[in-house]
Amino acid sequence: MPDIYLLTGLTLPQGVAHESLPGTVTRFMSDCWHGMSRTQMIARAKRRGLRLSFRATAPCPSGETGVFELRFNDGAGECLMLARLQRVGDRRGKRRQTRRTDVSRPPPRDPRQTRLF
Protein backbone atom coordinates (compact mmCIF):
# COMPACT_ATOMS: atom_id res chain seq x y z
CA MET A 1 0.00 0.00 0.00
CA PRO A 2 1.42 3.43 -0.88
CA ASP A 3 2.36 6.07 1.65
CA ILE A 4 -0.22 8.60 2.78
CA TYR A 5 0.31 12.33 2.31
CA LEU A 6 -1.38 14.81 4.66
CA LEU A 7 -1.79 18.53 3.99
CA THR A 8 0.12 20.88 6.27
CA GLY A 9 -0.15 24.09 4.22
CA LEU A 10 -1.05 25.76 0.93
CA THR A 11 0.64 28.78 -0.62
CA LEU A 12 0.99 30.58 -3.92
CA PRO A 13 4.27 30.77 -5.83
CA GLN A 14 6.22 34.00 -5.53
CA GLY A 15 4.85 36.70 -7.81
CA VAL A 16 1.34 35.26 -8.12
CA ALA A 17 -1.50 37.29 -6.60
CA HIS A 18 -4.49 35.53 -5.07
CA GLU A 19 -6.78 37.79 -7.11
CA SER A 20 -5.54 36.07 -10.27
CA LEU A 21 -6.90 32.67 -9.19
CA PRO A 22 -10.16 31.42 -10.69
CA GLY A 23 -13.15 31.35 -8.33
CA THR A 24 -13.34 27.55 -8.36
CA VAL A 25 -9.74 27.30 -7.11
CA THR A 26 -10.38 29.87 -4.37
CA ARG A 27 -13.47 27.93 -3.23
CA PHE A 28 -11.47 24.69 -3.33
CA MET A 29 -8.81 26.26 -1.08
CA SER A 30 -11.45 27.35 1.45
CA ASP A 31 -12.63 23.70 1.62
CA CYS A 32 -9.16 22.42 2.61
CA TRP A 33 -8.03 21.82 6.19
CA HIS A 34 -4.86 20.84 8.02
CA GLY A 35 -4.49 17.05 7.98
CA MET A 36 -6.56 16.54 4.82
CA SER A 37 -5.26 13.61 2.77
CA ARG A 38 -4.09 13.89 -0.82
CA THR A 39 -6.92 11.56 -1.86
CA GLN A 40 -9.49 13.82 -0.21
CA MET A 41 -8.01 16.84 -1.99
CA ILE A 42 -8.30 15.11 -5.37
CA ALA A 43 -11.91 14.08 -4.66
CA ARG A 44 -12.92 17.62 -3.64
CA ALA A 45 -11.24 19.11 -6.69
CA LYS A 46 -13.07 16.66 -8.93
CA ARG A 47 -16.40 17.65 -7.35
CA ARG A 48 -15.61 21.27 -8.21
CA GLY A 49 -14.87 20.36 -11.83
CA LEU A 50 -11.09 20.72 -11.45
CA ARG A 51 -8.36 18.30 -12.44
CA LEU A 52 -5.65 18.33 -9.81
CA SER A 53 -2.16 16.92 -10.22
CA PHE A 54 0.69 16.71 -7.70
CA ARG A 55 4.41 16.78 -8.43
CA ALA A 56 7.09 16.66 -5.77
CA THR A 57 9.71 19.40 -6.04
CA ALA A 58 12.24 17.15 -4.25
CA PRO A 59 12.27 13.61 -2.82
CA CYS A 60 10.53 13.39 0.56
CA PRO A 61 11.52 10.65 3.04
CA SER A 62 8.82 9.00 5.14
CA GLY A 63 7.81 11.09 8.16
CA GLU A 64 9.11 14.33 6.61
CA THR A 65 7.23 17.25 5.04
CA GLY A 66 7.85 18.00 1.37
CA VAL A 67 6.82 20.70 -1.08
CA PHE A 68 4.60 19.69 -3.98
CA GLU A 69 3.41 21.61 -7.04
CA LEU A 70 -0.36 21.52 -7.40
CA ARG A 71 -1.64 22.13 -10.90
CA PHE A 72 -5.32 22.90 -11.29
CA ASN A 73 -6.95 22.62 -14.69
CA ASP A 74 -10.58 23.51 -15.30
CA GLY A 75 -10.52 23.01 -19.07
CA ALA A 76 -10.20 26.74 -19.79
CA GLY A 77 -6.86 27.34 -18.09
CA GLU A 78 -4.30 26.10 -15.65
CA CYS A 79 -3.07 27.50 -12.35
CA LEU A 80 -0.20 26.55 -10.06
CA MET A 81 0.01 26.44 -6.26
CA LEU A 82 2.44 24.99 -3.75
CA ALA A 83 1.44 22.59 -0.99
CA ARG A 84 3.33 21.21 1.96
CA LEU A 85 2.43 17.58 2.47
CA GLN A 86 3.66 15.34 5.27
CA ARG A 87 4.52 11.83 4.15
CA VAL A 88 3.15 9.30 6.63
CA GLY A 89 4.63 5.80 6.54
CA ASP A 90 2.83 3.04 4.71
CA ARG A 91 0.38 0.75 6.47
CA ARG A 92 1.83 -2.58 5.39
CA GLY A 93 2.50 -3.61 8.97
CA LYS A 94 -1.08 -3.02 10.06
CA ARG A 95 -3.51 -5.88 9.90
CA ARG A 96 -6.73 -3.96 10.31
CA GLN A 97 -8.53 -2.12 7.56
CA THR A 98 -8.96 1.63 7.77
CA ARG A 99 -12.35 2.35 9.22
CA ARG A 100 -14.48 5.26 8.19
CA THR A 101 -13.88 6.84 11.62
CA ASP A 102 -10.11 6.85 10.97
CA VAL A 103 -10.45 9.19 7.98
CA SER A 104 -9.58 12.85 8.46
CA ARG A 105 -12.68 14.95 8.99
CA PRO A 106 -13.00 18.67 8.29
CA PRO A 107 -12.81 20.79 11.43
CA PRO A 108 -15.99 22.51 12.63
CA ARG A 109 -16.35 25.88 10.92
CA ASP A 110 -17.00 29.05 12.86
CA PRO A 111 -19.75 31.00 11.03
CA ARG A 112 -17.87 34.20 11.82
CA GLN A 113 -14.78 32.89 10.07
CA THR A 114 -13.91 34.82 6.96
CA ARG A 115 -12.99 33.19 3.71
CA LEU A 116 -9.39 32.13 3.13
CA PHE A 117 -8.76 35.21 0.99
Side-chain angles (χ1 to χ4, degrees), residues 4-34:
I4 298 169
Y5 291 88
L6 302 177
L7 180 67
T8 60
L10 287 171
T11 187
L12 292 171
Q14 188 173 357
V16 176
H18 68 272
E19 293 89 8
S20 66
L21 295 176
T24 53
V25 174
T26 304
R27 286 188 296 276
F28 167 79
M29 289 177 58
S30 66
D31 287 346
C32 293
W33 65 88
H34 188 275

Side-chain angles (χ1 to χ4, degrees), residues 22 24-25 45-46 48-53 70-80:
T24 53
V25 174
K46 189 181 276 189
R48 294 223 177 254
L50 296 167
R51 283 188 310 242
L52 177 62
S53 65
L70 271 67
R71 292 196 181 274
F72 296 92
N73 190 331
D74 62 358
E78 187 175 287
C79 104
L80 173 71

